[in-house]
């Protein structure tokens, strides 16, 4: 029992110190490790397998909408990065610079891509000639580098994994349609696959992407009440096209600028999974994204027939879900603690008495609920149970999120809410950036988004300055 | 007709200028484009889709052998690269150096990984404590950077995509077994999936990987008679473990060094596909790796019912292979030329007369053979035909390779063979590097490998110096 205790005691409780709990979970669930390059992390097998599942599912959904994958170089010449004014201002302060190739200094230094708008524009400039070449709906899976000062595993690291889609269209309408389409694709993915409810909305000008005309976002709420921007989709209008000279001849043979979009999600989503679903026993993974959905754990495994029967059961379950058998020489209690720490959705316990009675004990990771299931029924019961867990986890996260949304009509109420009610705060805004700046400076809350599906006018005046209000904003402290 | 001509005429013939033919194919088949960073290439959708198919199949085969995927940082601190003497000597001259992060110079410069042995060793050093932690069989899919002076699309570029496996084992035997296992996995993959026959063998000390105890290789022969190293697997013994201090306590609680391996294949394989199977009409892809296996091309598509019937046929074929319909407004001849250029294994032509007669015309890309197939039989005929093509392409490539192997017993004969018989030259070697150096310098041929499955003693003496021979070597000019 000493060992089990050690494993479990090693996690700080969420209530005690949420940040430390998070750090404990990423380490103890063996999702990542720190590397000898400060701010860069190692994705260990358990962490990378989650990313692979995310990739496979998203990639499938992308391709259904006509996305084609490509791969661009990881380096951007300094002159290319500087082609679009807002963009370079946004990114130049936080890029890593390559100055030497082999023994020789480079003629022009290269930055390691922080994002690849400029590379795609440079490519599209030659690739697109006629309206027949449009639309271009390209995506790449890669890593990007941003030289951040403060880093946290999955949430903010100097190198992270992501996908970045970059499209070019004939018309402004088509570009806008694609921008919204991809945002909705992200939202549906987060809700269906990761069981993370999100608020869909538009960023204010202050918070939008460097060089974008408009940025749409999906915002999720973590267990501690902080928001996490979980995916963004940008409409560039023809701004980049004008800066790079990306033109096509239309059907009347007239030269037109293309309209562009870009959109991305990253390994941050793994951070969201941890902070939305995790508990004091560790990670809790929704079945759809869990690399292992079920762990068979034999009890009294040295008794005759137990291991054979457990292996047979695992073999049968392997046909209906991603099942594994823990046949190591650790104690059952230790194995339970490990399975819980790793967030595996279901545990199946099987001992001599269970075998004699032709059943097994099934334990849900998300609720701890134990049930006895006949060995004749496992192939039908387990998949249903996985579906139920997926659905319940979403509903629980949604209930938590909804119970952490409060309204503020006046500035004092707003400040009070920020300090005492962690979560989203709905409040009206005049549209002036000064108010956003003031709120951020004085309370630490930022404007998360102007929601698409919640246009309620909760007051006539701006919560900050009292002038006529234009927009409802979801505010919150954020990662 | 002018358009079709233009597309076809734009390729230089292989016989006229093989290098130019290659460049024409990679561009005209839209596999890649050049980027604004010299020596770095853009993988366009048609090229990247081939890589995705390679990745999916290899990844599946890896996982069957117990491989787990991870992701390491792309940066290596200079001090870490220098830990193993041979390794740093091999790679330091051709790495890209990051010297600044944001606005500030770094305290220690970082190289962009040319390969990740040092990062994995640094990680394993902490990760491995006990025999229970072994083996570690990790792999990553990523891009690496080598600052080459001369570059060619897919074959040698400053950044390329690959996978690198890095394993740690308790014993030398186990490491050796994994090294050979992965080499055979590569060989089987190249032969079964890419239809590229290979020679499996060991590199000489001169040609082995920087820091390895032994390097195994698979060598393929291109259409022009040059060899292409298509995959390598390295046994490091405990060299890196000693340099990095990677030790574990064995069952008797004694400290032991681990034994390590690494193995990789890259986007070079796309170059091999082009140069083994391509012809004067462009790319020819083996069905298993072809992103699109069949193109349905309607004839007289404006005639009533043709497009509908073509779409219906494509829908049916889409259930048994990766089928597409070219419904664009180009002429059939133009579409044929495009389908040929892109190497799509089968073309299905369907016009009003075919429909009236309830058949379609099926054309093989690899042989040009045309056949009439009843519309009732397509679902059974097409998959069989794809299998036949896959098999025939391998056999044809093997016959070509085998007819380009010659033996040399004396030095003059060797020199004569290098200059007049492109291909592999089998010749005996004394084991002395001076002879290898001399042969390379005087003839341009390098030792490709000491083959596993061909141990014939074709002569008693070294082809170069006449001293007693130790090993049969396959020599050749190589990419």
């Amino acid at each position: 029992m000493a060992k089990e205790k050690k494993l479990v005691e090693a996690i700080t409780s969420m209530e005690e110190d949420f940040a430390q709990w998070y750090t404990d979970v990423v380490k103890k669930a063996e999702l990542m490790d720190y590397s000898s390059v400060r701010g860069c992390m190692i994705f260990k097998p358990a962490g990378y397998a989650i990313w692979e599942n995310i990739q496979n599912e998203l990639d499938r959904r992308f391709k259904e909408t006509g996305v084609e994958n490509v791969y661009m170089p990881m380096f951007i010449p300094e002159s290319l990065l500087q082609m679009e004014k807002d963009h370079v201002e946004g990114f130049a302060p936080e890029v890593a610079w390559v100055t030497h190739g082999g023994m020789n200094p480079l003629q022009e230094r290269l930055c390691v891509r922080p994002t690849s708008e400029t590379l795609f524009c440079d490519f599209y400039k030659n690739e697109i000639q006629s309206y027949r070449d449009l639309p271009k709906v390209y995506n790449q899976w890669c890593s990007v580098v941003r030289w951040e000062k403060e880093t946290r595993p999955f949430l903010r690291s100097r190198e992270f994994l992501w996908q970045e889609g970059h499209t070019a269209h004939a018309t402004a309408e088509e570009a806008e349609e694609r921008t919204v389409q991809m945002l909705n694709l992200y939202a549906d993915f987060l809700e269906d696959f990761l069981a993370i409810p999100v608020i869909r909305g538009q960023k204010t000008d202050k918070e939008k992407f460097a060089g974008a005309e408009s940025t749409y976002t999906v915002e999720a709420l973590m267990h501690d009440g902080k928001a996490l921007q979980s995916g963004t989709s940008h409409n560039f209008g023809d701004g980049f096209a004008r800066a790079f000279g990306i033109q096509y001849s239309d059907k009347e043979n007239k030269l037109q600028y293309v309209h562009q979009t870009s959109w991305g999600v990253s390994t941050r989503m793994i951070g969201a999974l941890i902070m939305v679903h995790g508990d004091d026993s560790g990670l809790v993974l929704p079945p759809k994204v869990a690399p292992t959905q079920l762990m068979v754990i034999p009890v009294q495994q040295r008794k005759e027939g137990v291991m054979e029967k457990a292996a047979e059961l695992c073999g049968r379950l392997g046909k209906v879900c991603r099942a594994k058998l823990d046949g190591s020489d650790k104690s059952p209690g230790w194995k339970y603690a490990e399975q819980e720490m790793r967030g595996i959705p279901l545990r199946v316990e099987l001992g001599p008495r269970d075998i004699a009675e032709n059943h097994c004990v099934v334990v849900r990771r998300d609720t701890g609920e134990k049930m006895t299931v006949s060995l004749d029924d496992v192939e039908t019961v387990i998949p249903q149970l996985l579906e139920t867990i997926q659905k319940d986890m979403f509903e629980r996260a949604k209930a938590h999120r909804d119970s952490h949304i409060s309204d503020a009509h006046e500035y004092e109420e707003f400040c009070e809410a920020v300090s005492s009610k962690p979560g989203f705060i709905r409040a009206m805004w005049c549209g002036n950036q000064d108010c956003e700046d003031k709120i951020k400076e004085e309370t630490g809350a930022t404007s998360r988004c102007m929601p698409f599906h919640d246009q309620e006018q909760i007051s006539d005046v701006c919560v900050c300055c009292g002038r006529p209000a234009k927009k409802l904003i979801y505010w919150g402290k954020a990662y």
Side-chain angles (χ1 to χ4, degrees), chain A residues 220-426:
Chain A
L221 198 71
M222 304 300 102
H223 194 88
D224 63 345
K226 278 200 199 166
L228 186 78
Q229 175 181 305
S230 305
T232 47
S233 186
H234 316 292
N235 187 341
F236 292 117
D238 59 6
F240 274 90
R242 286 178 187 273
F244 282 81
I246 313 172
Q247 289 183 295
Y248 69 97
S249 14
D250 66 13
K251 287 186 183 168
E252 282 75 44
N253 220 18
K254 284 204 313 206
L255 275 183
Q256 304 282 0
Y257 286 106
V258 300
H259 292 75
Q260 293 173 268
T261 83
S262 82
W263 25 274
V265 292
S266 74
T267 36
R268 276 206 127 180
M269 288 198 296
I270 299 175
L273 273 174
I274 300 165
M275 292 195 290
V276 168
H277 300 302
D279 65 20
D280 283 345
S281 303
L283 192 60
V284 184
L285 288 173
K288 285 188 186 174
V289 75
T292 303
Q293 295 176 314
L294 177 152
M295 184 66 83
V296 177
I297 299 180
V299 178
Q300 297 185 274
Q301 65 188 43
R302 282 192 211 86
K303 288 243 168 113
E304 201 189 321
V306 172
M307 276 303 282
E308 291 73 7
K309 200 75 186 169
E312 184 204 314
L313 179 60
C314 185
R316 282 170 59 199
L317 290 172
K319 291 186 179 118
V320 296
C321 69
R322 296 186 288 271
K324 273 196 180 168
L325 170 70
D326 188 346
S328 66
D329 57 6
K330 300 166 196 160
S331 73
W334 178 259
K335 292 178 186 178
Y336 299 166
E338 272 191 344
Q339 166 258 326
E340 286 174 5
M341 180 63 73
R342 289 171 189 172
I344 296 168
L346 283 176
R347 169 169 91 225
V348 173
E349 308 170 0
L350 188 76
R353 199 183 313 165
D354 303 306
I355 295 169
E357 290 170 15
N358 194 43
H359 66 220
C360 58
V361 176
V362 178
V363 186
R364 279 175 67 158
R365 172 65 184 90
D366 63 326
T367 59
E369 190 191 340
K370 273 193 178 203
M371 58 210 97
T372 301
V373 177
S374 160
L375 289 179
D376 299 332
D377 299 338
V378 284
E379 280 108 332
T380 48
V381 170
I382 296 293
Q384 283 166 7
L385 204 47
L386 290 170
E387 267 182 52
T388 306
I389 293 172
Q390 183 82 28
K391 204 166 141 282
D392 288 358
M393 286 182 71
F394 176 75
E395 291 303 335
R396 225 163 20 241
K398 189 160 181 299
H400 176 270
R401 196 269 314 270
D402 291 346
S403 71
H404 286 76
I405 300 177
S406 51
D407 290 1
H409 303 84
E410 282 163 26
Y411 195 63
E412 207 171 311
E413 201 184 353
F414 188 96
C415 298
E416 169 66 19
V418 176
S419 60
S420 68
K421 296 181 196 162
F424 287 121
I425 301 163
R426 300 196 320 160

Side-chain angles (χ1 to χ4, degrees), chain A residues 84-304:
Chain A
E84 211 282 340
K85 193 179 61 67
D86 292 335
H87 191 70
V88 64
E89 278 176 18
F91 284 103
E94 56 171 38
V95 296
W97 292 103
V98 174
T99 57
H100 287 70
M103 301 309 185
N104 307 311
L106 301 178
Q107 287 192 313
E108 179 182 13
R109 61 183 192 161
L110 307 170
C111 84
V112 183
R113 65 180 159 222
T115 179
S116 307
E117 276 73 12
T118 52
L119 290 168
F120 275 88
C121 285
D122 189 46
F123 170 59
Y124 284 151
K125 184 185 65 195
N126 301 313
E127 192 73 1
I128 297 167
Q129 306 292 337
S130 137
Y131 70 93
R132 288 168 192 267
D133 300 325
L134 295 172
K136 292 280 182 218
V137 186
Y138 289 172
N139 173 64
Q140 72 177 2
W141 293 93
C142 62
S143 78
V144 287
V145 168
R146 298 179 187 175
W147 220 250
E148 308 271 4
K149 286 196 182 67
E150 303 266 331
T151 61
R152 294 190 69 184
F154 299 113
L155 297 175
R156 196 175 293 278
S157 55
R158 287 184 168 173
E159 181 187 7
F160 58 91
L161 302 174
W162 80 345
Q163 60 67 218
E164 44 178 328
H166 296 269
T167 72
H169 305 269
T171 66
E173 293 69 34
E174 227 186 89
E176 176 65 12
E177 202 178 296
R178 175 58 73 170
T179 314
V180 174
Q181 176 183 26
M182 298 317 289
L183 190 85
N184 282 324
L185 190 154
Y186 291 151
D188 293 343
F189 171 79
L190 278 152
E191 299 198 334
D192 298 349
F193 201 75
L194 306 184
I196 296 175
V198 292
I199 308 282
R200 310 169 194 213
Q202 183 173 357
K203 289 281 182 193
T204 59
D205 281 353
K206 174 181 164 71
E207 299 287 337
K208 74 183 184 188
F209 184 79
E213 214 164 68
S214 54
T215 289
Y216 302 134
T217 179
V218 281
E219 301 282 327
L221 198 71
M222 304 300 102
H223 194 88
D224 63 345
K226 278 200 199 166
L228 186 78
Q229 175 181 305
S230 305
T232 47
S233 186
H234 316 292
N235 187 341
F236 292 117
D238 59 6
F240 274 90
R242 286 178 187 273
F244 282 81
I246 313 172
Q247 289 183 295
Y248 69 97
S249 14
D250 66 13
K251 287 186 183 168
E252 282 75 44
N253 220 18
K254 284 204 313 206
L255 275 183
Q256 304 282 0
Y257 286 106
V258 300
H259 292 75
Q260 293 173 268
T261 83
S262 82
W263 25 274
V265 292
S266 74
T267 36
R268 276 206 127 180
M269 288 198 296
I270 299 175
L273 273 174
I274 300 165
M275 292 195 290
V276 168
H277 300 302
D279 65 20
D280 283 345
S281 303
L283 192 60
V284 184
L285 288 173
K288 285 188 186 174
V289 75
T292 303
Q293 295 176 314
L294 177 152
M295 184 66 83
V296 177
I297 299 180
V299 178
Q300 297 185 274
Q301 65 188 43
R302 282 192 211 86
K303 288 243 168 113
E304 201 189 321

